[in-house]
Amino acid sequence: YEFSDPCTKTEEMFKSIIALVQPHTHRWVSLKITCVRPKHFLSFLDAPAPWLETLSISLPIDDPEPLNGLPNGDIFGGQVPRLRYLELDHVAIPLTSSIYTGLRSLHLISVVFDGTVKDLRAVLRACPHLTILLLESVRIRLSPPMELLPPISLPFLSSQVP
């Protein structure tokens, strides 16, 4: 007996539509993926997206396959120089990914990272113009016991939720 995991109707629709627009990844400005399991969208996010400003990925809460990050750490080949708004809900892009560089708004919701607090600190340092920071149910799995680290300068931060 072989267990098969068919696409949901939402995933089938997503794959049909994304296949049509994937050749234009280099012109995308905004992308929102909701309720589509990673195995159905990862292969579509490998080309550079030089104009992408907003990225939101929200996985189903009851997703049976945990995602501990994305292959090779970088989506869009690590080439998203204009990305300013990033929202990750139940999906972890490794903290070492270049996707976090230069953000103005970062929302991390119910995310479990493999890494250290120092990795998260490096992400925040790579966003000197960050104005909005939302950290909700964020855990770092491999972090050693907490050590006192110096504060990070985020002079533009106007909204922060612990």
Side-chain angles (χ1 to χ4, degrees):
Y1 177 76
E2 185 177 292
F3 178 76
S4 65
D5 188 14
C7 289
T8 65
K9 289 194 182 288
T10 301
E11 291 166 340
E12 286 177 13
M13 180 69 73
F14 173 82
K15 288 168 76 171
S16 297
I17 293 170
I18 199 77
L20 296 172
V21 298
Q22 185 187 21
H24 307 284
T25 305
H26 63 283
R27 296 187 312 186
W28 292 357
V29 174
S30 179
L31 177 64
K32 182 173 186 173
I33 300 173
T34 305
C35 295
V36 176
R37 291 170 291 168
K39 66 182 173 186
H40 299 293
F41 69 75
L42 286 180
S43 64
F44 294 103
L45 305 183
D46 57 353
W51 290 96
L52 191 67
E53 295 176 3
T54 302
L55 176 62
S56 175
I57 303 175
S58 179
L59 296 185
I61 293 173
D62 59 348
D63 183 21
E65 55 182 280
L67 179 68
N68 297 322
L70 302 172
N72 303 320
D74 273 335
I75 58 175
F76 302 111
Q79 297 182 39
V80 285
R82 288 183 172 81
L83 188 66
R84 296 297 175 257
Y85 306 95
L86 178 62
E87 179 179 346
L88 301 176
D89 187 346
H90 288 86
V91 61
I93 296 175
L95 293 170
T96 54
S97 170
S98 63
I99 198 164
Y100 297 104
T101 302
L103 296 175
R104 297 219 170 129
S105 177
L106 176 61
H107 293 204
L108 301 175
I109 304 160
S110 297
V111 179
V112 179
F113 290 107
D114 288 335
T116 67
V117 172
K118 286 184 180 180
D119 294 332
L120 180 57
R121 187 176 195 278
V123 163
L124 296 176
R125 288 185 65 166
C127 303
H129 294 96
L130 196 67
T131 59
I132 299 172
L133 175 62
L134 171 68
L135 302 175
E136 183 180 313
S137 298
V138 174
R139 292 185 300 148
I140 301 177
R141 192 184 335 243
L142 302 178
S143 195
M146 289 297 292
E147 60 182 273
L148 188 58
L149 297 172
I152 300 165
S153 176
L154 295 171
F156 300 100
L157 195 62
S158 62
S159 177
Q160 179 180 8
V161 179

